[in-house]
Amino acid sequence: MEDQVQKAVNEAVAQFGGIDILVNNASAINLVNTETLTMKSFDLMHGINSRGTFLCSKLCIPYLSKSANPHILNISPPLSMRQRWFKDHVGYTMAKYGMSMCVLGMSPELAKYGIAVNALWPRTAILTAAMKMLAGGDEVASQCRKPEIMADAAYLVLTKDSRTFSGQFCIDDDVLRREGGLTDKDLEQYSCVPGGQLLPDFFLDEPDAAKPAATSASSGAQSGQQQPGADVEASMKHLATAIDAEAVGLVKGLVELQLTDLNRSWLLNLKSMPGGLSEIRPGDSGSTEKPDTCMTMKSADLQQLVSGKLSATGAFMAGKLRITGNMGVAMKLEKVFRKAVAASSAKL
């Protein structure tokens, strides 16, 4: 790999006469826990994210140091020691934070050459191919911003004086407000669907960019609405109506759904027809097959999913939904939840 990167650097220098900017963007992602993550996947993430960033930066230093305004920009998040960013996918977080640690260490180290080293991260979900795969289709667009917001923010960072702007962990819309003078109204141009409720991205500790309506579930006692868990049976009935030949053909897996606050679990058979949904009773052997995926959440969040007030993608990214096992199976469940929402709405 090192020889390949060196070859690419040499070819860039030969073609363009030098290197002014390095953007470390390539990343590998596998959002599973320690028990599930294979060492092959662990090594892939660390090889691309942490090692790749370090290697590309190292090999570009001799050429960046000759530039009038040299920049290294890592597409990585601000560092945080909150457990929520580690507990469900520590392998991925370590790899991604490795990129950010390069910013932390290289920015003072390379200041003697006038090389700026900064990080840029999106506040909200960006509509990429990976996001479409995670959410199960283009429907997630209403909750995302366009990739152009990152491109425009990167331009503003990369055109600043490298000797006075370094070691910064930048957020895309903050950069556009501060450096570009954009207002909240101006930022609407980056929304895939103007006015849509945006999903907050991973790793940001500040209040969510678009707080899901699930907060209403916690205030039900004061407002007179249903208590969390009060109507879980109805939620399960609506979810059962979404299990059909189309859902089975899409997911092709067994899913265990655990409601932590009720200490109850259900098995969704989305592997073979006729499919089905059944509660796993204590002491029950249940299915002879081990579930491909386990989804863990609170009953109030499940009710928000089935009522359409919270998307599965949004729940996952906000830490309300934990997924272990086959992530590929889990990624396809968004459409099943949307069908349950339609069934729920039809009853209103």
Side-chain angles (χ1 to χ4, degrees), residues 96-113:
K96 203 64 190 175
Y97 276 13
M99 299 175 68
S100 299
M101 291 171 71
C102 286
V103 173
L104 193 65
M106 290 181 184
S107 54
E109 178 188 358
L110 303 183
K112 60 187 177 185
Y113 300 122

Side-chain angles (χ1 to χ4, degrees), residues 92-338:
Y92 170 67
T93 300
M94 290 168 63
K96 203 64 190 175
Y97 276 13
M99 299 175 68
S100 299
M101 291 171 71
C102 286
V103 173
L104 193 65
M106 290 181 184
S107 54
E109 178 188 358
L110 303 183
K112 60 187 177 185
Y113 300 122
I115 300 173
V117 187
N118 296 295
L120 179 65
W121 194 247
R123 185 178 304 281
T124 72
I126 303 296
L127 189 63
T128 61
M131 178 55 66
K132 290 180 183 178
M133 180 179 68
L134 177 66
D138 292 324
E139 295 87 346
V140 74
S142 64
Q143 302 169 77
C144 296
R145 281 173 170 164
K146 303 172 186 176
E148 285 82 356
I149 190 170
M150 285 290 285
D152 290 350
Y155 173 82
L156 291 173
V157 171
L158 295 169
T159 53
K160 290 188 71 65
D161 183 354
S162 64
R163 287 158 180 79
T164 61
F165 190 85
S166 186
Q168 302 298 309
F169 292 91
C170 305
I171 306 301
D172 56 359
D173 56 9
D174 279 347
V175 172
L176 291 168
R177 288 187 181 97
R178 184 179 63 249
E179 307 296 335
L182 272 63
T183 64
D184 287 345
K185 183 177 181 181
D186 296 327
L187 290 172
E188 277 293 296
Q189 66 182 296
Y190 297 108
S191 295
C192 295
V193 177
Q197 190 177 42
L198 299 171
L199 287 173
D201 206 345
F202 289 120
F203 302 122
L204 297 183
D205 288 337
E206 59 259 43
D208 292 343
K211 206 167 186 69
T215 52
S216 62
S218 62
S219 60
Q222 289 96 355
S223 64
Q225 297 175 4
Q226 288 181 317
Q227 298 294 317
D231 200 22
V232 69
E233 305 298 339
S235 296
M236 288 301 173
K237 288 180 181 178
H238 295 314
L239 187 55
T241 63
I243 300 175
D244 54 18
E246 181 184 5
V248 171
L250 172 68
V251 179
K252 298 179 182 176
L254 294 174
V255 180
E256 183 177 349
L257 178 59
Q258 299 179 347
L259 299 184
T260 55
D261 55 327
L262 301 182
N263 197 27
R264 296 172 67 183
S265 299
W266 282 260
L267 183 70
L268 286 76
N269 177 6
L270 293 163
K271 189 170 186 177
S272 59
M273 288 299 292
L277 173 65
S278 57
E279 185 168 3
I280 303 173
R281 303 286 183 182
D284 247 353
S285 59
S287 171
T288 57
E289 292 187 79
K290 183 180 179 181
D292 299 285
T293 297
C294 180
M295 303 177 71
T296 306
M297 69 183 77
K298 293 182 178 179
S299 57
D301 295 323
L302 173 68
Q303 290 169 236
Q304 295 289 321
L305 282 171
V306 175
S307 66
K309 296 177 180 177
L310 179 66
S311 72
T313 306
F316 179 70
M317 296 184 74
K320 297 175 182 292
L321 169 63
R322 180 182 177 187
I323 299 173
T324 57
N326 189 324
M327 185 63 67
V329 169
M331 287 176 177
K332 299 172 183 176
L333 285 168
E334 181 81 54
K335 285 188 176 180
V336 178
F337 279 109
R338 281 199 295 270

